[in-house]
């Protein structure tokens, strides 16, 4: 449990629970104390903390984990039981979490941790998924987001002293999800992104299901983009039947302005270019004025 401190490893937990369930004449108070401490180390800090390897931390652990465990609650012949709490001097918070910049919710993101070279090992990379426990900060050179669903960003721990200080207390980093992709919680296998799903059909205002369909379409856009401007655009202008197919002509006869803007919205989202929506809107307005 010292090696796996803070990881919450399920296989190790199963083994510890098996040991805890033993009932035998040779199992006494000291055995239960050791197993309880092992489970506590496994979920140290609720999975947000781990153990430091500095000289002071090792000394505190040696005192706290002195191998002569008591036979009863009042047994202090070999070791004062209060010393068992000195393990807190070796606790270090190194949990890395990521938060979506639009929703302010904790999200799961794959990251690549670059470890420095040392005389014991060569320069290497470690892949993990947030939230995760970072290696010792003295070994970490940089942390990079490596996901096709989120914009790539690299945090240089050596170059940013404030980031290094924040990581020592357990750090929360902000990431931005790409347009057209769902989070790993909503879509674990990547089968529900915007490229794999058709844009929902629009109903006319005379349709009895118009209000329900319009709300569903707004929710569809909201699941793929957290940009307030895009959401407002979708709710305001996407109200009627949208043209089928990604290569439909925007200014074809019979298309309403709402249908045209709906198609523009779809095209900009699948190509991850929401900033082009105002440009298309201005071009469409100028085209209508020139034909009037």
């Amino acid at each position: 449990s010292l090696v796996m401190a803070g990881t919450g490893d399920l296989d190790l937990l199963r083994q510890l629970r098996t040991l805890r369930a033993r009932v035998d004449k040779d199992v006494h108070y000291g055995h239960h104390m050791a197993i309880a401490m092992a489970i506590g180390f496994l979920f140290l800090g609720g999975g947000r903390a781990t153990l430091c390897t500095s000289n002071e931390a090792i000394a505190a652990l040696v005192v706290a984990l002195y191998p002569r465990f008591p036979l009863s609650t009042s047994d202090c012949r070999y070791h004062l039981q209060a010393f068992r709490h000195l393990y807190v001097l070796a606790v270090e918070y190194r949990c890395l979490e990521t938060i979506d910049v639009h929703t302010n919710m904790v999200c799961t993101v794959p990251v690549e941790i670059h470890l420095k070279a040392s005389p014991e090992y060569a320069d290497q990379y470690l892949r993990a998924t947030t939230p995760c426990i970072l290696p010792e900060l003295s070994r970490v050179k940089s942390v990079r987001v490596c996901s096709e669903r989120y914009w790539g960003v690299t945090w240089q721990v050596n170059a940013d002293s404030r980031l290094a200080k924040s990581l020592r207390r357990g750090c929360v980093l902000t990431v931005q999800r790409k347009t057209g992709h769902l989070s790993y919680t909503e879509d674990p296998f990547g089968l529900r992104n915007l490229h794999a799903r058709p844009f929902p059909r629009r109903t006319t205002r005379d349709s009895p299901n118009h209000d329900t369909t319009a709300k569903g379409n707004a929710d569809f856009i909201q699941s793929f983009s957290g940009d307030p401007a895009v959401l407002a655009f979708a709710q305001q202008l996407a109200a009627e039947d949208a043209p089928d197919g990604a290569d439909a002509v925007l200014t074809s006869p019979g298309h309403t302005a709402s249908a045209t803007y709906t198609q523009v919205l779809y095209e900009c989202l699948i190509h991850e270019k929401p900033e082009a929506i105002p440009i298309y809107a201005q071009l469409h307005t100028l085209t209508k004025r020139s034909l009037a």
Side-chain angles (χ1 to χ4, degrees), residues 198-202 213 216-218 220-221 241-242 262 266:
F199 201 77
R201 271 189 168 275
R202 297 290 174 180
T213 305
N217 293 336
F220 179 85
I221 297 297
D241 230 349
T262 300
Y266 176 72

Side-chain angles (χ1 to χ4, degrees), residues 13-31:
L13 176 62
R14 293 188 184 100
Q15 298 180 26
L16 293 174
R17 293 184 64 182
T18 301
L19 294 175
R20 189 178 183 181
R22 291 186 308 165
V23 177
D24 193 277
K25 62 179 181 179
D26 296 328
V27 177
H28 50 77
Y29 174 75
H31 289 86

Side-chain angles (χ1 to χ4, degrees), residues 216-269:
N217 293 336
D219 293 340
F220 179 85
I221 297 297
Q222 187 175 7
S223 64
F224 289 103
S225 176
D227 191 342
V230 175
L231 297 179
F233 186 89
Q235 295 173 357
Q236 181 69 23
L237 297 176
E240 296 186 2
D241 230 349
D244 294 329
D247 53 353
V249 181
L250 296 179
T251 57
S252 60
H255 285 176
T256 64
S258 179
T260 300
Y261 289 136
T262 300
Q263 184 63 23
V264 167
L265 179 62
Y266 176 72
E267 291 288 336
C268 292
L269 287 181

